[in-house]
Amino acid sequence: MSEGFASIQVQRGYVPGTPQNAVAPPIYQTTAYEFASLQDAEDIFALRKTGNLYSRSANPTQLVFEERVAALEGGRAAVAVASGQAAVAITLLALAKSGEHIVAAQQLYGGTVDLLEDTFADWGIEVSFVDQDDLDAWRAAIRPTTRALFAESVTNPTAQVLDVRAVADIAHAAGVPLVVDNTVATPYLQRPGEHGADVVVHSATKYIGGHGTSMGGVVVDIGSFDFGAEPARWPQLTGPYARVGDVVLWERFGPQGQAFAALLKSKYVHDLGPSLSPFNSFQLLQGLETLDLRMARHAASALTVAQFLQDQPGVTAVHHPGLPSNRWADAAARYLPRGVPAVFSFDLAVTGDAESDRGRVHRFVDGLRLFKLVANIGDARSLVAHPASMTHSHLDDAQLADAGISPTTVRLSIGLEDPADIIADLAQALAASDPAEGQENE
Ligand code: PLP
């Protein structure tokens, strides 16, 4: 019996049973699987029986990964795909079709905003964006055609903590599921399903993989939402599924809480093809095995770094909800009792002169040695980014302000290096970028 988080992350979903008896889940690098008989093939195609079919839908290494993530999130089933972006896309496509509507937090990751605002609009799916802290705005945005509410448990780069329970209650009162992107927190720091989320998505590219090597995404079906309560709303689950002999997914898989995962895999992964490769499944499994250890270290180091930064004269604000002065400190205490994620931002002091401030940001970022300047988070290495020039470069100053970002906001993703070395690097770059120092050197 292995039920604790650490035991699940190392052992769940794999029992050495191959003729070779490999103790680690092997990489099953194969596109197809030999059926035992034609009857066996018929049963698997008709969803009467589960079994390996074709690697676009799943491969055995991926299935171990899926079972492990589902257990870590406290869900009933998971569907792994090639990227976090694919995980978000197939989840929302499976819930809302053309003419229907989604309410989403305006604080979402920029790539998700592009998907919802631009590509979903092309496909006739409407999305309203609301401030995730404004509960009245969530309620007011709901329409008869709304099919999901969507937000991130902890946002990037400003580390705002979602009141998952309150937004879940609003979703359920409207008869729709709450989908939560838990990428930044991971199930070690928060399990949104325990607070009312019905579907949890991840970019596994970040902390789940954890080493900045492999793209991946995963959707967890918590199994809590009753799609059968209003069947007319969810024909994709409660009506006959013509392509598999008119099976009704809700009848076949609903009692096990896995109907939504079955829909994702049999339709959206099958039709659109965002498959996770066997090799990346293996890499993500390697990451999972140390998730708790890494997240605890990331979170502890990030808090130490945030405390250091808030005392620096060259820094005007540190956006870390582990600091008592932060607006989301209470929410963090409630939703993130094991620690606050290691992605947060801070503002360099401004002079009021845009050119001089820009020079300071460039000197600071370019002066860092241990931190790597990349468009990513959740690596073992410490990473830095400048949102106004990178992820949020298409926004003007007013839009940046709405997003809680200033031209001198710097995002950090604190890695697993020695905290003293991380702090020393920030200290030297702050000193080297100080405008007063610069003048002395001229
Ligand atoms: N969700 C969040 C919160 C992210 O930060 C990202 C990427 O940065 C994604 C989803 C998309 O994930 P991926 O880059 O794996 O497609």
Side-chain angles (χ1 to χ4, degrees):
M1 282 291 287
S2 50
E3 289 305 321
F5 193 97
S7 305
I8 293 170
Q9 72 184 7
V10 175
Q11 299 233 358
R12 183 60 70 92
Y14 180 71
V15 179
T18 61
Q20 291 75 21
N21 230 15
V23 73
I27 303 172
Y28 285 93
Q29 193 68 36
T30 180
T31 49
Y33 307 86
E34 189 181 5
F35 299 107
S37 64
L38 186 54
Q39 184 60 51
D40 191 47
E42 254 179 57
D43 290 343
I44 292 174
F45 269 82
L47 296 185
R48 282 192 292 271
K49 190 172 162 187
T50 52
N52 297 324
L53 199 158
Y54 183 55
S55 284
R56 173 152 30 84
S57 301
N59 70 77
T61 318
Q62 172 190 344
L63 293 174
V64 180
F65 174 66
E66 290 176 346
E67 198 173 328
R68 243 170 238 190
V69 176
L72 293 174
E73 279 289 2
R76 306 298 284 271
V79 177
V81 285
S83 66
Q85 199 71 7
V88 172
I90 63 165
T91 299
L92 297 177
L93 283 175
L95 291 169
K97 55 185 183 304
S98 179
E100 295 181 332
H101 173 250
I102 292 165
V103 188
Q106 70 194 22
Q107 288 89 342
L108 291 175
Y109 159 67
T112 311
V113 174
D114 292 340
L115 171 74
L116 300 188
E117 210 170 45
D118 189 3
T119 303
F120 271 28
D122 291 346
W123 296 340
I125 302 167
E126 281 191 83
V127 183
S128 305
F129 291 93
V130 298
D131 175 358
Q132 68 180 33
D133 277 337
D134 187 344
L135 299 180
D136 288 335
W138 284 103
R139 279 187 210 98
I142 289 170
R143 305 176 188 170
T145 53
T146 301
R147 291 293 176 266
L149 269 48
F150 181 49
E152 290 168 16
S153 48
V154 182
T155 68
N156 146 30
T158 48
Q160 301 182 29
V161 182
L162 180 72
D163 188 344
V164 185
R165 173 54 63 189
V167 180
D169 287 348
I170 293 169
H172 298 157
V176 300
L178 172 65
V179 180
V180 169
D181 182 332
N182 198 30
T183 297
V184 170
T186 81
Y188 180 70
L189 297 180
Q190 188 192 131
R191 305 215 297 182
E194 290 176 354
H195 305 290
D198 303 290
V199 181
V200 175
V201 295
H202 283 277
S203 165
T205 314
K206 317 299 183 196
Y207 289 110
I208 286 181
H211 297 79
T213 61
S214 312
M215 301 293 296
V218 61
V219 186
V220 180
D221 182 358
I222 300 295
S224 52
F225 189 76
D226 184 4
F227 289 97
E230 284 185 83
R233 262 192 187 187
W234 314 103
Q236 63 275 52
L237 286 157
T238 59
Y241 196 11
R243 64 170 80 178
V244 273
D246 282 347
V247 67
V248 175
L249 292 175
W250 188 247
E251 284 170 9
R252 173 70 55 84
F253 299 106
Q256 298 90 46
Q258 301 175 351
F260 187 67
L263 175 68
L264 288 179
K265 202 166 263 196
S266 64
K267 181 163 176 168
Y268 294 91
V269 178
H270 174 272
D271 288 12
L272 302 176
S275 319
L276 185 65
S277 71
F279 183 71
N280 276 17
S281 303
F282 175 82
Q283 292 285 77
L284 299 177
L285 274 172
Q286 293 303 107
L288 267 192
E289 291 194 1
T290 54
L291 183 65
D292 63 339
L293 301 173
R294 290 185 290 103
M295 291 312 291
R297 170 78 167 259
H298 279 296
S301 296
L303 182 59
T304 306
V305 172
Q307 286 162 341
F308 160 78
L309 285 172
Q310 75 173 348
D311 293 336
Q312 302 310 302
V315 172
T316 50
V318 181
H319 309 286
H320 186 290
L323 300 175
S325 57
N326 185 271
R327 188 173 147 192
W328 292 277
D330 289 345
R334 177 170 172 204
Y335 287 109
L336 301 160
R338 284 171 145 169
V340 169
V343 178
F344 68 98
S345 58
F346 69 95
D347 298 342
L348 286 165
V350 287
T351 61
D353 174 59
E355 260 320 293
S356 148
D357 291 343
R358 197 179 122 77
R360 169 147 216 202
V361 170
H362 278 249
R363 284 196 301 281
F364 174 75
V365 172
D366 292 341
L368 289 165
R369 295 172 194 145
L370 178 143
F371 281 82
K372 309 297 172 210
L373 175 61
V374 298
N376 196 19
I377 55 171
D379 195 318
R381 286 153 279 267
S382 288
L383 311 176
V384 63
H386 179 232
S389 319
M390 297 167 66
T391 47
H392 294 67
S393 56
H394 53 298
L395 305 186
D396 61 29
D397 281 2
Q399 290 170 312
L400 278 180
D402 281 348
I405 294 164
S406 86
T408 66
T409 298
V410 174
R411 180 185 77 188
L412 302 178
S413 171
I414 302 300
L416 300 176
E417 304 91 345
D418 290 285
D421 291 336
I422 298 173
I423 287 174
D425 192 35
L426 291 166
Q428 67 79 22
L430 278 171
S433 68
D434 188 327
E437 294 252 325
Q439 276 156 18
E440 275 164 28
N441 294 340
E442 273 166 13

